Amino acid sequence: MRLRRPRWSGRLSLTQQVALLSLVPIVALGFILAHVLETQILTRTLADADQSAQLIARMGIQPRLSPRDLRQGLTPAGIRTLDEQLSNRQVSRDLARIKIWNQQHTVIYSDLHGLIGRTLAASDDLANTLAGRPNAAQLITPSAHNETAGEVGLGQLVEVYVPLRFAATGRPAGAFEIYLSYRPIAATVARDQRTIVLLVAIGLGLLWGVLYRIVARASRRLRGQARENYDLAHYDQLTGLPNRTLFIDGVTKAVDREESGPGAVAVLLIDLDRFTEINGTLGNANGDAVLREVARRLSGDLDNGTLAARLGGDEFAVLCPGTRGISGAQTVAAAVQASLEAPIVLDGVALDVEASIGIAVMGVHAGDPDLLLQRADAALAHARLRCSRVEVYTEECNRFDARRLMLLGEVRGALERGEFILVYQPQFDLPTRSVTGVEALVRWRHPEHGLLSPSDFIPLVEQTALIGPLTLNVIDQALCQMVAWRRRGIDLDMAVNLSARNLLDPALPGQVADLLARHGIAAARLTVEVTESAAMVDPDRAIAVLRALRASGVGVSIDDFGTGNASIGYLASLPANEIKIDRSFVTEILADARAEAIVRATIDLARNLGLTVVAEGIETEAVIEHLISLGCETGQGYLLSRPLAADRLTASLTASFGLAPAGPRAPATLST
Ligand code: C2E
Ligand code: MG
Ligand code: MG
C-alpha cells in the first residue's frame, strides 16, 4: 500500500495563480501608460503643427502682404506671388489649404482661387482670432455642413488660426486659416506610439518576469518547507517508515474504502523481544541499526499491499488492507516472523531478533479504527506475556489486559495485606537424594483471581519500581521461613529470584545485608538467582550490585543458563558462584543431542570456572542418571518435588522424604 504525500495546491499552483493575477494589473498599467503617452504625443504633435503653421504664415506669406492688400484685396500679380511662394516644396509639403481673411470676413487669398473675394460667415475660431484671442490647433475631419466644406476630400487635417498683424499692438489686420495635412503627422505619431508601446511592454514584461521569479522561488521554498514539516509530522525519522499519525490515517482510509468488504482490513502490532537488552548491551547506535533493519525488512519483504509503520520504541505495525479475515492476517504474521528470521549482523556479530505480534481484524474484532488498534494492542500484550509469539484478539485478551492494569494497581495493597506468599522447591544432591536447599518461588493469593503464578504478575511488576518492595518482601519471608525451619532442626540453604530492575538498585545489597542481620542468618546460606538477560540490561550497574552482594557473602547463581544472548566471556565476568542449567535443556537431554551437548558443555564450563552447577526441570529418573554421569550432582524438578507451601514441605522433609537435611554447602567463589 502506497501513501501519497498531499498535493500542495489546487489545479493551479501558487506561482501560476500569482503569475496570472499579477498579469492583470500589469497589463492594465500598460494600457494606461500607453494611453497617457499617446495623448501626450498627440498634444505635442499638434503643438508642433501649430508652430510650423505659424512659421509658414509669418515667414512665408506675411512679408508678401501689405495692409492695403487686406483692405482692397490682392492684385492678380499679388495672388500669383503668393501662389509661387506656396508652391515652394518646403511650404507645400504639409500645407493642405490656406485662407487669408480680413476683418470683414472676406477671403483675400486662398490656394483654392474660387474662394478669393468671397465674404463668408465667420466661425467662432475665426472670430476669436480676428479679435486677437489665442486659438489652439485642433484635429478636424472636414464636413460638408460647415465652413470646412471646401476641405472635404483632404482627409483629416490640423486646423490652425494665426492672427495677421502689421503692428505689434492693436487688433490683428486679418487672420490666416491654415490646414495642415494630418497624414504625415499621423505617421510620426504612430511611429512614436509604436516605440513607446514597445518600450512600455518590454519594461513591464521585465518587471513581471522579475516578480514571477521572486514568487516562484518563494513558492518553491514554501513547498519544500511544507513537505519537510509534513514528513516530520508523519514519518519516523530513524527508519523513514510512516509514524503512528500516518498509520492511523492509513487505517482509517483503508476502513473507509473497505474495498473488499468486512474482514478485509487487519492490523498487526509487532513488538521486538528483548530490545531493551540489545540497546543496553550493544549501545543505542546498534539498537538504532536493528530498528532500521527491521523497518527495511517489514517494508521490503512483505506483500506490496501492506503498509508498515513504526509506532515508537521497538513497536512496529503492519496494516493489511486486503486480508480475508483472521487466517489471512495470520499468514501476514507468519511472513513477518519469517522476514525477521535471518539474524541481523552488527559489526560481524549475528543477532537473532524475535517479535511478538498481536492481530485484530476489522469487522470481526472491532467496528472502528480506534478500537481495532486497541484490540491489536491487547492481543500483543497477551502474546508478550504468554510468550506465544502471535495472538489473535479474543475476549480473553481484553479481560486480560484490563486485569493486568488492575493487578498493577493492586500490588501495593497486596504487599500490605500479605497476599504474596512463597512456595519452596527443594534442591537435591542427586547421588544421595538429600535435600540441600530450597528455591523460594512467589505466588499471589489474589482475593478474586485465586492463586496467581509469577508469570501472571512478575513481568508487570518488573516494569515498575514496585519490584523493589516485592523482592525485599520475598527475601524477608524466605529468611523468616529459614528461622522457623531451623527452630525445628531443619537447616536448609535458600535461593531467591531477582529481577533485572533489582540489579539496577545500588541500595539492594545493603537492604539484603540488613535483613540477614535482622534474622540472624549467615549471608552464605542465601543465594540470589539472576538470569543472564537481567544482568545484561545495564551490565556495569548489575555487576556492581552483584559484586557487593558477593562481597557480603551472599551466593550468586546464573538462572536459566543458556537461554539468553550473553557471551561466555560476559558470563565469566559475572561475580557468580553457581550456574543453573535451564530446564528446556535438561528435560530434552535424552531426546535432543543438541540439548545434551549444551548441558555437557555447561557442566564442563562450570567445573573449569570453579562454579557449582544445578540442573533444573528434572522430570525423569533417566535424566538424573544422565546428569550424574555428566558430573552434575545438584538438581531440582517435578520428579523430585514440585514447589510446595512451607508447611507441606516441612511435613515432607520430616516424614515422606525421610531424609535428614544436609548441612550447608560451602559456596565456590569466582574471583571478583
Ligand atoms: P525459575 O527461577 O527458573 O523457577 C523455576 C520455575 O520452573 C518455577 O516456576 C518452577 O515451578 C518450575 N519448575 C521446577 N521444576 C520443574 C519441572 O520439573 N518441570 C517444569 N516444567 N517446570 C519446573 P514458577 O514458580 O512458575 O516460576 C517461574 C519463574 O518466575 C521463575 O523461574 C522465576 O524466574 C520467576 N519468579 C518466581 N518467583 C519469583 C520471585 O520471587 N521474584 C522474581 N523476581 N521472580 C520470580
Ligand atoms: Mg530461579
Ligand atoms: Mg530457572
Side-chain angles (χ1 to χ4, degrees), residues 422-423 425 439-443 453-455 458 462 467 471 474 497-499 502 529 531 559-560 580 583 587 616-619 636-639 641 643:
L422 298 184
V423 290
Q425 186 174 36
E439 178 181 4
L441 296 160
V442 73
R443 302 285 182 265
S453 64
S455 60
I458 290 286
E462 269 178 342
I467 192 68
T471 302
V474 166
N497 293 281
L498 296 186
S499 284
N502 296 130
E529 297 188 0
T531 59
D559 203 354
D560 302 346
K580 284 184 89 173
R583 66 171 181 266
T587 39
E616 60 179 17
I618 299 172
E619 294 180 350
Q636 65 187 84
Y638 288 172
L639 175 75
S641 169

Side-chain angles (χ1 to χ4, degrees), residues 561-562 568 579-582 585 595-609 611-614:
F561 188 89
I568 298 289
I579 285 178
K580 284 184 89 173
I581 308 173
D582 189 65
F585 306 117
E596 204 253 9
I598 290 169
V599 174
R600 188 188 291 269
T602 308
I603 293 168
D604 270 1
L605 180 76
R607 189 180 298 131
N608 290 329
L609 292 175
L611 308 179
T612 314
V613 60
V614 179

Side-chain angles (χ1 to χ4, degrees), residues 251-292:
V251 174
T252 311
K253 283 190 182 129
V255 168
D256 285 348
R257 275 197 307 272
E258 247 186 54
E259 281 152 357
S260 341
V265 180
V267 162
L268 274 62
L269 289 193
I270 302 159
D271 188 82
L272 302 185
D273 299 342
R274 302 189 322 276
F275 182 71
T276 330
E277 275 169 43
I278 294 173
N279 244 352
T281 321
L282 303 176
N284 287 346
N286 281 319
D288 287 354
V290 169
L291 292 175
R292 273 195 294 268

